[in-house]
Amino acid sequence: MSMEMMKNEWKKLVNNKILLISFIVILFIPILYAAFFLKSVWDPYGKTGELPVAVVNMDKSVDYEGKTLDVGDQLVENLKKNELLDWHFVSQKQAEQGMKDKKYYMVVTLPENFSKNASTLLDKNPKKMNITYETNGSLNYIGEVIGETAAKQLQSEVSANVTKAYAESIFAQIEKVGDGFTQAADGSKKLQEGSTKLNDGNKTITENLQKLATSTITFSDGANKLEVGLDQYTDGVTQLNDGATKLNDGIGQLASNVGPLQAGVGQLSDGSQTLANGVGAYTAGVSQLTDGSNQLVAKNDELTGGVNELSKNLAIAQQTVEKLILPGVQQMSNGITASPEDLTKLSVGLTTIGANINQLALEVNDSTKSDTITAAITANMKAIQSSLETNGAELQTLAEKATENPDKALNALKATNAYQGLDPDEKIEIETALQNELNKQKDEELASIASIGENTTKIGASLQDIQTQLGNLAQLSAALKTGVNALNDGTKEPLAQASKAVQGLGTVKAGIDAPEKGLLAGVTQLNSGLKRLSEGSATINTGVQQYTKGVSQLQSGASQLTDNSGALNAGATALNGGIGQISGKLPELISGVTQLNDGSSQLAAGTGKLTENSPQLKDGIGQLASGATQIQSGSGQLADGSKTLGDGLGTLNSGTKELSTKLGDGAKEVNGIKATDKTFDMLASPDKLTHKEFSHVDNYGAALAPYVMSLALYVGSLVFNFIFPIRKISMEGQSSRAWWLSKFSIGTVVAIAMAVIEVGIMLVLGLNVQSVGQMFTMAIVTSLAYMFIIMFLAMTFDNPGRFVAMVLLIVQLGGAGGTFPMPLTNGFFNAIHPFLPMSHSIYGFREAISGGLGQGTFNQSVFILVAIFVVFSGLLMVSMNWLQKRHLDDVSQLDNNQKLQAVEE
């Protein structure tokens, strides 16, 4: 339905001929307004040559420096070639009548004394040249402004011409100055020749006086130097005496301390020897520990092999009893009731059992192997235990010595006299360095000793476990031997009677099944004992493995300790050797100090005698120097006076020579100046004005186009809302949205059409633009913004709204900055300038036409105008909805306008 009402709106517009014609005419209002106005002022500054200006020349020429000076006539000749304005050269009466008849926009008058005043430059009271120009601002103010600009240009041209005349006169005077310079140079040359002769005579006098002064100076200088040298000599003797005395005292003190130093070095040597011996004993103990641990490691394989063989034999015996003997006895017990064939088999089995029991008894009773293994293990364990105890004691001793050695060494060093004679800082430095090194070695030794001690403790614990297991093994072996012997003794008689098995079957049965002494019970006990022995041998094997591992750790720790022993022993030996070298050099030191003490005593005695004779020598040389100074002073003053006179004559000669030279050079330079017309022009007008354009505007019409085109679009939108029945509805019973859409479509089409027509025709009329696309875009968004601002005001407030739109136009005429720069207006218009839609429209048009403002300015202007269009379109919808709810949608104060589009019945 919304589209239906919009179509009906356009249908009624097309069918209403009067409204349609008005609609079409309104579309051309902006271009008519802009085109007629802009074409009238399209390029006024390019046609200033058509602006009539009268020139009245009343000037009279004068004679200046022998030449005719006629500034007025020269200016008239130049103006006749000037096309800046339409110059009319008339009399004063004609000019006055022309101003009255509005024929001339300006009259320029050159007075009679114009050239005469130009010639008063060198007078006591020079007079300025006066150019009078008369304008008629009422006729046209812009014409007056153009005339003023031309008058200022005339003033500049006159100034340049007059300055050129002045320059010609000045350069003429410069030529005369050059001739004066030449004459002055000749006179100064003669003056220089006279001063040269005078200077030569004075030189002869000065030379003789200088000979006399030089002789006295030489004598005086020698006496003074002798006096100064003697003073230095006596001062040196005194200082030498003081130094010799101090040296003698110091050497005596040094000699007194040599004895204690020798004793201290001896003590230090004894202490270092003691330290070296202790380190040697410590390293020897470490070597013994290493050898013992190596022997233990060498016996580890033999011990492990014996234990493994014992375990193997026990396993074989246990398996023999369990698999052969015990089943045979059980079969025999169970087979007593068997047949004769079974008895025969039983007899054979008893024979085999007897042989096996006998073999077992032989093996058990043959204790050679087990005793050998047990004895070897016991001996090794005792040797290891003894070595461990010895090593433990040695380790404790080494730990105590390692702890005490740093303090002993440091105390031995402190007790020496050499150490006591050192400065406190040197003591601290030596003590700190030695303490750090000894503590470092102590920590390393204690760490190695602690590691060996831990390994020794572990090995001792392992030996205790092995000894316990060996004790258990001995008890089990004894029980095994007893059981096997009992079994052998118990089976001999029954087996011997095997042939009598049939007759003595009951007796055999009783012997086999007897609870305590029977064959079956004995074999069962034997099997149990062998199992216990086998289990005990496994425990022994585990203990032996722990023992061998501990022995290996002991060997590793002892090797590390042995490796460190070499460095420790070498350090102690080096320390002992260094102290021995110091001790060996002490006799030579003592002998040298004694000789030095004797020599310093003799030196002190000799310098004392020199010091006693110094005052007498100084008195005599002082008298000699005083007399020589008086002689030198008199002769020197005489020579100085003559020299000063010679210097003055020399200065006079140099000055006259320089004066002659400079005057000659000046004459050449002045006479060498050849001025030409170019020189005169340069002096008259030395500067040049160059204009660079940041952006180019073709003419005044192009500069004014943004303002006029924006204003024309506002006027077109305002006229449209006066003519078009804005509140009239085209269909009854429609929603406010449909009503808004119908009016929105009309306003949008009209705004876009006015913008396109205006820009298109302006381009055809000769408006040059930087960007055609930007030009059309700015015109369209400007027209849309203006259209819906006015449409909202007219729709909402009717005629008062149209009045507000007129007021907004007036405000924008002053505040949009379309003609003059905004800084030239007052504060009110500068305050409202950023908030006026026309301000942003003008900025956008200027960027599209001539550029220079930047793409950012154009984009900002488009954004602001589009935002105004969107906001006022929305406000228009709200307003129309409000009017419809109050039944004001078909009511307007423009009744005659409303009748143009009456609703069809």
Side-chain angles (χ1 to χ4, degrees):
M1 296 300 289
S2 298
M3 298 299 296
E4 187 67 26
M5 187 173 184
M6 183 179 67
K7 292 178 182 178
N8 197 45
E9 183 82 23
W10 282 97
K11 182 178 179 182
K12 289 183 177 295
L13 175 63
V14 173
N15 292 334
N16 192 325
K17 303 302 181 182
I18 297 176
L19 189 60
L20 180 61
I21 294 173
S22 301
F23 184 86
I24 294 173
V25 172
I26 290 172
L27 296 181
F28 286 90
I29 287 179
I31 184 57
L32 293 173
Y33 183 91
F36 279 99
F37 183 82
L38 289 177
K39 291 303 291 184
S40 67
V41 294
W42 189 250
D43 191 14
Y45 296 103
K47 297 181 179 180
T48 57
E50 300 177 7
L51 188 70
V53 175
V55 179
V56 179
N57 182 17
M58 301 173 63
D59 181 39
K60 295 181 179 180
S61 62
V62 297
D63 182 65
Y64 179 69
E65 299 294 336
K67 295 183 179 181
T68 300
L69 183 62
D70 51 351
V71 181
D73 292 341
Q74 293 179 13
L75 179 60
V76 169
E77 292 298 324
N78 291 333
L79 291 179
K80 289 180 180 179
K81 302 175 184 178
N82 191 317
E83 297 180 356
L84 178 63
L85 295 174
D86 183 15
W87 306 103
H88 294 259
F89 304 98
V90 297
S91 65
Q92 185 176 8
K93 186 177 180 180
Q94 290 174 333
E96 292 176 353
Q97 187 62 39
M99 287 293 287
K100 292 179 181 179
D101 297 339
K102 298 182 285 297
K103 182 178 179 180
Y104 304 125
Y105 284 85
M106 182 176 68
V107 175
V108 178
T109 303
L110 304 179
E112 293 182 0
N113 58 358
F114 195 63
S115 295
K116 183 179 180 180
N117 290 345
S119 64
T120 63
L121 174 65
L122 300 178
D123 293 351
K124 184 177 181 180
N125 296 313
K127 297 180 181 180
K128 292 187 177 182
M129 305 165 62
N130 185 29
I131 300 176
T132 303
Y133 67 96
E134 183 182 2
T135 61
N136 185 5
S138 298
L139 182 60
N140 190 281
Y141 179 74
I142 299 300
E144 181 178 6
V145 173
I146 295 174
E148 290 178 353
T149 303
K152 292 178 180 179
Q153 185 174 353
L154 285 178
Q155 182 185 12
S156 299
E157 186 173 349
V158 169
S159 297
N161 290 334
V162 174
T163 304
K164 183 178 180 180
Y166 290 158
E168 292 175 353
S169 177
I170 290 171
F171 279 106
Q173 295 297 324
I174 289 176
E175 292 179 359
K176 295 180 181 179
V177 172
D179 296 337
F181 278 159
T182 302
Q183 295 176 2
D186 294 338
S188 63
K189 185 176 182 181
K190 294 179 180 179
L191 181 62
Q192 186 262 336
E193 291 175 353
S195 64
T196 300
K197 295 178 180 179
L198 182 61
N199 191 28
D200 292 339
N202 184 71
K203 284 183 179 178
T204 303
I205 298 173
T206 302
E207 289 175 357
N208 294 325
L209 290 175
Q210 284 180 346
K211 289 180 180 179
L212 175 62
T214 302
S215 300
T216 58
I217 289 174
T218 302
F219 175 69
S220 178
D221 289 343
N224 290 332
K225 290 180 180 179
L226 179 60
E227 182 179 17
V228 172
L230 185 61
D231 289 339
Q232 295 177 352
Y233 162 74
T234 56
D235 293 340
V237 168
T238 302
Q239 294 177 2
L240 177 62
N241 186 37
D242 294 340
T245 302
K246 294 180 180 179
L247 177 63
N248 190 32
D249 294 341
I251 293 175
Q253 185 178 0
L254 176 63
S256 63
N257 290 327
V258 169
L261 174 62
Q262 184 178 16
V265 171
Q267 295 176 3
L268 181 62
S269 177
D270 295 339
S272 64
Q273 183 62 44
T274 302
L275 176 62
N277 294 335
V279 171
Y282 159 73
T283 53
V286 170
S287 299
Q288 294 177 2
L289 177 62
T290 302
D291 295 339
S293 63
N294 290 334
Q295 294 177 4
L296 292 178
V297 171
K299 295 293 184 178
N300 283 344
D301 294 337
E302 183 178 351
L303 176 61
T304 302
V307 173
N308 290 335
E309 185 176 357
L310 176 62
S311 298
K312 181 178 179 181
N313 292 332
L314 289 174
I316 293 172
Q318 191 269 334
Q319 290 178 0
T320 301
V321 172
E322 183 176 6
K323 293 181 179 180
L324 297 178
I325 298 175
L326 184 59
V329 174
Q330 289 177 345
Q331 290 178 4
M332 183 175 63
S333 176
N334 294 330
I336 290 178
T337 58
S339 62
E341 290 82 7
D342 292 334
L343 292 176
T344 302
K345 292 179 181 179
L346 179 59
S347 178
V348 174
L350 288 174
T351 302
T352 302
I353 289 172
N356 290 332
I357 291 173
N358 188 43
Q359 182 64 33
L360 177 60
L362 292 175
E363 291 290 338
V364 171
N365 291 323
D366 186 7
S367 60
T368 302
K369 295 181 179 181
S370 61
D371 290 343
T372 301
I373 293 172
T374 302
I377 292 173
T378 302
N380 288 333
M381 289 179 64
K382 287 182 179 180
I384 292 170
Q385 188 67 31
S386 177
S387 298
L388 289 176
E389 291 176 356
T390 302
N391 290 340
E394 292 178 353
L395 288 174
Q396 183 65 30
T397 302
L398 289 176
E400 293 175 355
K401 290 182 178 181
T403 303
E404 296 173 356
N405 284 338
D407 294 335
K408 289 181 178 180
L410 192 59
N411 291 332
L413 177 64
K414 290 180 179 180
T416 62
N417 291 328
Y419 176 83
Q420 296 297 329
L422 296 175
D423 293 338
D425 293 338
E426 295 175 345
K427 290 180 180 181
I428 294 174
E429 181 180 0
I430 294 174
E431 183 178 344
T432 302
L434 183 60
Q435 183 71 48
N436 292 336
E437 181 62 27
L438 293 174
N439 287 336
K440 181 178 178 182
Q441 294 180 4
K442 180 190 73 174
D443 294 339
E444 293 176 354
E445 294 170 3
L446 290 177
S448 300
I449 291 170
S451 176
I452 296 172
E454 292 178 0
N455 294 331
T456 302
T457 303
K458 292 180 181 179
I459 294 171
S462 300
L463 289 175
Q464 293 293 335
D465 293 337
I466 295 171
Q467 288 178 354
T468 301
Q469 298 298 331
L470 287 175
N472 295 332
L473 180 60
Q475 295 177 0
L476 293 175
S477 298
L480 175 62
K481 185 182 294 185
T482 302
V484 170
N485 291 330
L487 176 62
N488 189 27
D489 294 338
T491 56
K492 282 182 179 180
E493 184 176 352
L495 291 176
Q497 301 297 326
S499 59
K500 301 177 180 179
V502 177
Q503 293 82 3
L505 185 58
T507 304
V508 173
K509 176 69 173 174
I512 292 173
D513 294 335
E516 296 180 357
K517 296 183 178 182
L519 178 60
L520 182 59
V523 173
T524 301
Q525 292 178 1
L526 176 61
N527 188 34
S528 298
L530 289 174
K531 285 183 177 180
R532 289 171 60 190
L533 284 175
S534 179
E535 293 173 356
S537 66
T539 302
I540 292 173
N541 192 15
T542 301
V544 170
Q545 290 178 356
Q546 294 177 355
Y547 158 75
T548 56
K549 183 178 180 181
V551 170
S552 298
Q553 292 177 354
L554 175 62
Q555 183 192 27
S556 176
S559 299
Q560 293 178 1
L561 195 58
T562 300
D563 294 338
N564 293 330
S565 296
L568 180 61
N569 197 15
T573 302
L575 177 63
N576 189 27
I579 294 173
Q581 291 177 1
I582 294 174
S583 179
K585 295 294 182 179
L586 278 178
E588 296 179 5
L589 176 63
I590 293 171
S591 175
V593 169
T594 302
Q595 294 176 5
L596 183 62
N597 189 23
D598 295 339
S600 65
S601 297
Q602 296 175 3
L603 176 63
T607 55
K609 292 181 180 180
L610 290 176
T611 303
E612 293 175 359
N613 295 326
S614 294
Q616 298 175 2
L617 186 60
K618 289 179 67 176
D619 292 338
I621 200 62
Q623 296 175 2
L624 177 63
S626 177
T629 300
Q630 293 176 1
I631 296 173
Q632 185 268 337
S633 176
S635 61
Q637 291 176 2
L638 184 61
D640 291 340
S642 177
K643 184 178 180 182
T644 301
L645 178 60
D647 292 339
L649 293 174
T651 302
L652 176 62
N653 186 29
S654 300
T656 55
K657 183 178 181 180
E658 184 177 2
L659 177 62
S660 176
T661 302
K662 295 299 183 182
L663 287 174
D665 294 341
K668 292 180 181 179
E669 186 173 355
V670 172
N671 293 326
I673 297 175
K674 304 297 181 183
T676 63
D677 287 339
K678 293 182 179 180
T679 306
F680 302 148
D681 291 337
M682 180 64 185
L683 185 61
S685 181
D687 56 356
K688 179 181 179 183
L689 185 64
T690 302
H691 176 214
K692 292 184 178 180
E693 293 182 340
F694 184 74
S695 61
H696 176 72
V697 180
D698 290 340
N699 47 46
Y700 185 74
L704 201 59
Y707 171 60
V708 174
M709 292 179 67
S710 180
L711 177 61
L713 289 173
Y714 192 94
V715 172
S717 300
L718 187 61
V719 171
F720 171 78
N721 281 279
F722 269 105
I723 300 301
F724 187 73
I726 193 68
R727 281 193 176 185
K728 195 64 177 177
I729 60 175
S730 61
M731 293 180 65
E732 294 287 352
Q734 300 297 315
S735 65
S736 62
R737 182 176 180 277
W739 184 29
W740 171 82
L741 185 60
S742 64
K743 301 301 179 182
F744 178 83
S745 64
I746 295 293
T748 302
V749 171
V750 171
I752 294 175
M754 287 192 300
V756 172
I757 292 172
E758 181 187 46
V759 173
I761 295 179
M762 287 302 300
L763 294 175
V764 173
L765 292 176
L767 178 64
N768 295 321
V769 298
Q770 292 283 342
S771 174
V772 176
Q774 289 184 349
M775 193 71 179
F776 277 104
T777 300
M778 183 52 58
I780 290 172
V781 297
T782 299
S783 185
L784 288 172
Y786 290 163
M787 177 63 71
F788 283 92
I789 290 174
I790 301 172
M791 186 176 288
F792 164 73
L793 294 173
M795 177 68 74
T796 305
F797 306 107
D798 204 19
N799 278 347
R802 295 181 178 89
F803 174 75
V804 172
M806 287 289 296
V807 173
L808 180 59
L809 173 62
I810 296 171
V811 172
Q812 292 185 112
L813 290 176
T819 53
F820 294 98
M822 287 306 300
L824 303 182
T825 62
N826 60 33
F828 170 74
F829 292 110
N830 276 285
I832 66 174
H833 174 74
F835 305 102
L836 299 177
M838 191 175 292
S839 300
H840 303 286
S841 174
I842 291 173
Y843 284 134
F845 275 123
R846 285 174 176 170
E847 173 61 24
I849 293 174
S850 57
L853 300 181
Q855 185 65 34
T857 300
F858 180 83
N859 294 339
Q860 180 181 357
S861 299
V862 171
F863 175 79
I864 292 174
L865 293 172
V866 170
I868 292 173
F869 162 63
V870 173
V871 170
F872 279 93
S873 298
L875 292 176
L876 178 63
M877 178 184 290
V878 174
S879 173
M880 295 175 74
N881 182 53
W882 179 81
L883 290 172
Q884 190 179 58
K885 290 181 178 179
R886 284 158 181 75
H887 305 290
L888 298 175
D889 51 349
D890 198 22
V891 179
S892 175
Q893 296 174 356
L894 297 176
D895 292 332
N896 292 331
N897 295 69
Q898 305 298 334
K899 293 179 181 178
L900 294 176
Q901 191 179 1
V903 180
E904 297 183 0
E905 299 296 336

